[in-house]
């Protein structure tokens, strides 16, 4: 069949007429399509924006909820502290930090990190003072004391942080909690030590005023972290103690002959008791050893040693000031005999030193031991503070040593310490500081002071109720030296006085001679600390041990319970079961 062109329909796909029709249709409908597509794009954009806004709103709501929850956690954690508003404001003021905290331990870790930053700030402030001010000799010394104490604080805070991260898996909860508490107690003590260096005259006090705000702030921050740690660990400790059987406790505490654990073999006990310790080096003033001075031997000792490094000090008088810095760990001084091996100096406050810097021997490196040595400061009673031995070494111990001076003889500065069969003599505050320290089988004798002075055996420096520090005198003898005896009735001698607000001293099962006044204890000034101190006596003997005439302060008590007294034994107070055996010295963990 065939058709002519005229017969083709108008909507045919062929021919110019039909092409013109399609174009007309496209032009006619293009605008509505564009509009439609634009509407779709706009609608998609609106939906997308709405989704983003909704997600953002939800995220913001979730973040707000997180921050509110973390703020609640922070407030709850900070409620146990002495400075709760400071605690909350420093931790909760950064939203991103606050939102990341989910547990009480998180809050404590954040608190410690913020405290570290604050300590670094005080360090640079001290450096600036040293560079810019015209200073007296003692002010320069005091500022360098501050730098040393700040440096120690940074190490202690960093160690606290690392220990806290693995809590409670590092060791027993009791031991780990004790570690955390003693480190923060030491950090707090360092702040006070710095400021105490500027207390001797008006010029000193002007420098103190410049530093006081920053160091007090750090002290309060450390206090807050300590309070939160106590709050967190106390329940855990109680649970742990309940899980340990009575048989296990008795096994841990039972001691054999010579103060060594009963499980220690006779051979090992004999080895530890042996007076012959093989030295790594020998100090001899006459040149017959490796070194002529103790300081030279210390300087040559290995740093951060994990093995015991023994320095034998031959008989002789060594006139020098010796420092065992923190990088010198596990050192041991062994003298020939404490009557003939003497390290002596005469630095003192009257002649321009600080109390901290006056020490003839200053020990900071951990695990320090000394045996059969005399530490002496010969400045005399008129020179006021003049330290024979200062100890800020954790797990340090002294056996058959003498500490001889007048005011401030033995500075038990910080951390955990143990003294066995030592002789300590002095006048005013002659055992002082803020360590956790136990004295066993020691002779502690008051000397004749200057006219008008009284003797105080102790001046303990605990200034926070959560610090696990204090002085414990157990199975010792408190009496008088030969120069005091003829005038003992006219010179007042006391067991102690409160240097700081929460001063804590316990005297138990000790022979107290009648050199000690019937009232036993002396105030510092007025009513300061009389309600907040903890002074206690337990089963003491001797002419000066009667308690009927003792002070009536709220903070003083006569302990009648063995359970209460037991918390001040070496086993509990300085966790002695974990480290005293390694000293090789005799000891008792129990009453």
């Amino acid at each position: 069949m065939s058709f002519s062109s005229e017969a083709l329909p108008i909507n045919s796909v062929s021919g110019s007429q039909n092409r013109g029709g399609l174009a007309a249709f496209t032009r006619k409908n293009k605008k509505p399509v564009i509009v439609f597509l634009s509407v779709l794009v706009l609608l998609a954009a609106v939906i997308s924006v709405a989704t983003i806004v909704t997600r953002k709103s939800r995220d913001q709501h979730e973040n707000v909820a997180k921050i509110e929850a973390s703020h609640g956690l922070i407030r709850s954690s900070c409620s146990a502290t002495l400075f709760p508003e400071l605690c909350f404001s420093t931790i909760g003021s950064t939203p991103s930090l606050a939102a990341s905290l989910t547990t009480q331990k998180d809050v404590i870790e954040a608190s410690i990190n913020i405290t570290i930053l604050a300590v670094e700030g005080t360090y640079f402030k001290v450096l600036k003072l040293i560079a810019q001010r015209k200073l007296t000799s003692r002010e320069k010394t005091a500022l360098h004391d501050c730098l040393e104490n700040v440096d120690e604080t940074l190490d202690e805070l960093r160690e606290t942080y690392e220990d806290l991260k693995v809590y409670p898996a590092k060791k027993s909860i009791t031991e780990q909690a004790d570690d955390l508490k003693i480190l923060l107690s030491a950090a707090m003590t360092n702040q006070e030590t710095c400021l105490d260096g500027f207390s001797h005259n008006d010029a000193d006090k002007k420098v103190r005023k410049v530093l006081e705000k920053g160091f007090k702030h750090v002290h309060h921050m450390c206090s807050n972290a300590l309070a939160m740690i106590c709050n967190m660990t106390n329940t855990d400790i109680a649970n742990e103690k309940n899980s340990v059987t009575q048989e296990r406790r008795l096994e841990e505490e039972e001691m054999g002959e010579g103060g060594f654990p009963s499980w220690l073999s006779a051979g090992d006990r004999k080895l530890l008791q042996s007076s012959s310790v093989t030295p790594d080096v020998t100090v001899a003033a006459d040149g017959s050893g490796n070194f002529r001075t103790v300081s030279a031997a210390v300087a040559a000792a290995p740093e951060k040693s994990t093995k015991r490094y023994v320095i034998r000090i031959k008989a002789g008088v060594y006139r020098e000031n010796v420092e065992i810095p923190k990088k010198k760990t596990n050192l041991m001084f062994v003298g020939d005999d404490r009557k003939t091996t003497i390290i002596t100096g005469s630095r003192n406050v009257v002649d321009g030193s600080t109390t901290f810097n006056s020490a003839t021997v200053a020990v900071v490196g951990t695990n320090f031991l000394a045996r059969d040595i005399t530490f002496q400061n010969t400045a005399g009673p008129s020179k006021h503070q003049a330290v024979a031995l200062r100890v800020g070494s954790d797990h340090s111990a002294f056996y058959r040593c003498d500490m001889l001076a007048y005011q401030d003889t033995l500075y038990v500065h910080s951390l955990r310490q143990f003294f066995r069969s030592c002789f300590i003599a002095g006048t005013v505050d002659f055992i002082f500081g803020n360590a956790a320290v136990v004295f066993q089988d020691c002779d502690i004798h008051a000397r004749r002071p200057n006219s008008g002075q009284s003797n105080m055996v102790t001046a303990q420096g605990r200034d926070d109720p959560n610090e696990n520090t204090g002085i414990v005198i157990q199975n010792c003898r408190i009496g008088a030296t030969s120069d005091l005896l003829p005038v003992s009735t006219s010179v007042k001698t006391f067991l102690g006085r409160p240097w700081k607000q929460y001063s804590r001293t316990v005297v138990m099962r000790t022979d107290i001679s009648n050199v000690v006044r019937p009232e036993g204890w002396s105030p510092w000034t007025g009513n300061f600390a009389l309600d907040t101190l903890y002074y206690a006596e337990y089963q003491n003997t001797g002419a000066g041990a009667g308690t009927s005439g003792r002070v009536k302060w709220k903070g003083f008590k006569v302990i009648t319970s063995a359970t209460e007294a037991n918390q001040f034994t070496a086993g509990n107070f300085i966790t002695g079961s974990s480290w005293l055996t390694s000293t090789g010295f005799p000891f008792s963990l129990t009453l």
Side-chain angles (χ1 to χ4, degrees):
M1 185 184 297
S2 65
F3 295 93
S4 67
S5 61
E6 288 83 356
L8 286 171
I10 196 166
N11 59 350
S12 171
V13 295
S14 63
S16 61
Q17 192 175 12
N18 289 309
R19 285 196 299 272
L22 181 59
F25 176 82
T26 302
R27 283 195 303 272
K28 183 178 178 182
N29 293 282
K30 185 175 182 181
K31 191 172 182 179
V33 169
I34 291 172
V35 171
F36 177 70
L37 290 173
S38 298
V39 169
L40 286 177
V41 171
L42 181 61
L43 183 60
V46 169
I47 293 171
S48 177
V49 169
T51 302
I52 292 170
V53 170
T54 302
R55 188 181 298 120
K56 238 180 178 181
S57 176
R58 186 173 66 248
D59 289 347
Q60 286 176 346
H61 180 74
E62 288 176 355
N63 283 336
V64 168
K66 281 182 181 178
I67 291 171
E68 287 179 350
S70 65
H71 277 179
L73 173 64
I74 295 167
R75 284 205 180 278
S76 174
S77 299
C78 290
S79 65
T81 69
L82 297 183
F83 310 98
E85 288 307 314
L86 172 65
C87 179
F88 179 79
S89 64
T90 52
I91 302 171
S93 59
T94 306
S96 58
L97 173 63
S100 68
L101 307 176
T102 58
T103 68
Q104 185 180 18
K105 194 169 86 163
D106 290 343
V107 176
I108 302 171
E109 288 175 359
S111 174
I112 291 170
N113 273 329
I114 294 168
T115 305
I116 289 171
L117 294 175
V119 174
E120 290 170 346
T122 63
Y123 187 86
F124 289 113
K125 190 162 189 175
V126 173
L127 285 179
K128 189 176 179 181
L129 275 174
I130 292 172
Q132 292 184 355
R133 290 182 68 99
K134 290 183 178 179
L135 301 165
T136 66
S137 175
R138 180 161 53 229
E139 286 169 344
K140 288 179 183 177
T141 300
L143 285 170
H144 281 95
D145 291 350
C146 285
L147 290 180
E148 181 178 340
N149 279 283
V150 169
D151 196 36
E152 289 296 323
T153 300
L154 286 171
D155 282 350
E156 285 152 0
L157 289 174
R158 288 166 183 154
E159 187 176 348
T160 302
Y161 181 79
E162 293 303 317
D163 279 3
L164 192 60
K165 283 202 302 186
V166 297
Y167 178 85
K170 182 183 174 184
K171 53 179 78 168
S172 79
I173 292 173
T174 300
E175 289 178 18
Q176 193 172 0
D178 195 65
D179 288 348
L180 293 167
K181 293 172 188 177
I182 202 67
L183 287 167
L184 283 171
S185 296
M188 294 169 68
T189 300
N190 294 338
Q191 313 315 302
E192 290 292 321
T193 300
C194 170
L195 295 177
D196 285 342
F198 303 98
S199 304
H200 303 291
N201 59 41
D202 290 340
D204 294 346
K205 291 171 184 175
K206 289 178 183 177
V207 180
R208 177 189 173 104
K209 192 171 183 180
V210 175
L211 294 174
E212 193 163 25
K213 183 177 179 181
F215 277 85
K216 287 291 185 184
H217 175 74
V218 169
H219 185 279
H220 294 167
M221 291 282 290
C222 291
S223 170
N224 285 341
L226 175 60
M228 288 188 283
I229 282 173
C230 288
N231 189 46
M232 178 182 73
T233 60
N234 285 347
T235 301
D236 295 341
I237 290 170
N239 292 337
E240 181 183 60
K241 284 184 176 177
N242 289 336
S243 69
V244 178
T245 65
Q246 180 68 17
E247 289 76 19
R248 167 91 178 274
R249 282 198 294 269
L250 290 173
E251 182 183 346
E252 288 175 345
E253 294 177 352
E254 186 180 355
M255 304 302 295
E257 183 182 354
F260 292 105
S262 58
W263 44 261
L264 200 66
S265 71
D268 286 343
R269 195 174 306 163
K270 185 176 180 181
L271 179 64
L272 290 174
Q273 286 180 313
S274 172
S275 60
S276 60
V277 177
T278 303
D280 291 282
V281 294
T282 298
V283 178
D286 61 7
S288 61
N290 305 93
F291 302 94
R292 287 182 178 272
T293 67
V294 180
S295 295
V298 171
E303 296 184 0
K304 300 187 182 301
S305 175
T306 56
K307 289 178 59 181
R308 182 70 62 204
Y309 186 84
V310 179
I311 298 175
R312 180 196 172 193
I313 306 173
K314 292 181 72 174
V317 178
Y318 299 85
R319 302 184 187 281
E320 55 180 310
N321 290 86
V322 181
E323 181 177 359
I324 295 88
K326 63 182 177 182
K327 61 186 177 182
K328 302 290 184 174
T329 56
N330 283 293
L331 290 192
M332 181 178 187
F333 285 3
V334 177
D336 283 354
D337 182 272
R338 59 177 157 180
K339 300 303 179 187
T340 57
T341 304
I342 302 167
I343 307 174
T344 185
S346 60
R347 284 182 188 165
N348 61 85
V349 165
V350 170
D351 290 341
S353 181
T354 60
T355 303
F356 186 81
N357 192 249
S358 70
T360 300
V361 176
V363 184
V364 180
T366 59
N367 300 324
F368 177 83
L369 303 179
R371 195 181 76 189
D372 299 317
I373 294 174
T374 287
F375 303 92
Q376 180 175 266
N377 190 310
T378 59
S382 298
K383 296 294 186 177
H384 299 287
Q385 296 94 333
V387 176
L389 175 66
R390 167 169 56 86
V391 186
S393 164
D394 199 22
H395 292 165
S396 54
F398 298 79
Y399 178 47
R400 295 193 310 227
C401 288
D402 287 0
M403 296 86 186
L404 308 177
Y406 287 85
Q407 183 169 346
D408 291 2
T409 300
L410 176 57
Y411 194 173
V412 287
H413 181 260
S414 57
L415 300 167
R416 289 163 291 199
Q417 307 174 22
F418 179 73
F419 293 78
R420 176 81 180 203
S421 304
C422 293
F423 181 87
I424 306 116
T427 55
V428 181
D429 307 333
F430 66 93
I431 301 174
F432 76 110
N434 195 32
V437 56
V438 175
F439 295 86
Q440 288 182 358
D441 188 40
C442 291
D443 289 282
I444 301 170
H445 285 195
R447 302 178 79 169
R448 183 172 183 169
N450 275 348
S451 178
Q453 286 185 322
S454 297
N455 291 326
M456 268 66 65
V457 174
T458 66
Q460 205 281 325
R462 181 170 172 254
D463 64 354
D464 188 289
N466 291 307
E467 289 178 334
N468 58 342
T469 56
I471 294 171
V472 175
I473 298 172
Q474 178 189 11
N475 294 320
C476 293
R477 294 157 295 279
I478 297 175
T481 57
S482 58
D483 63 337
L484 176 61
L485 283 174
V487 295
S488 60
T489 56
S490 60
V491 175
K492 295 180 179 179
T493 297
F494 302 93
L495 294 172
R497 61 174 179 166
W499 181 26
K500 302 290 182 179
Q501 186 77 44
Y502 293 90
S503 182
R504 179 161 64 179
T505 300
V506 178
V507 183
M508 53 189 191
R509 290 187 171 170
T510 287
D511 182 85
I512 303 174
S513 80
N514 61 1
V515 70
V516 173
R517 297 275 297 181
E519 58 267 39
W521 307 83
S522 172
W524 185 271
T525 179
N527 292 322
F528 171 74
L530 302 188
D531 289 347
T532 52
L533 59 77
Y534 182 93
Y535 285 170
E537 298 181 51
Y538 176 70
Q539 293 186 355
N540 296 312
T541 58
T547 57
S548 61
R550 289 296 195 248
V551 293
K552 307 303 179 185
W553 306 337
K554 181 179 178 181
F556 171 76
K557 72 178 304 181
V558 177
I559 297 176
T560 57
S561 162
T563 301
E564 182 174 355
N566 194 57
Q567 65 184 302
F568 299 106
T569 59
N572 289 320
F573 196 60
I574 55 174
T575 56
S577 59
S578 66
W579 64 279
L580 283 177
T581 301
S582 67
T583 67
F585 301 159
F587 61 89
S588 173
L589 295 179
T590 62
L591 289 172

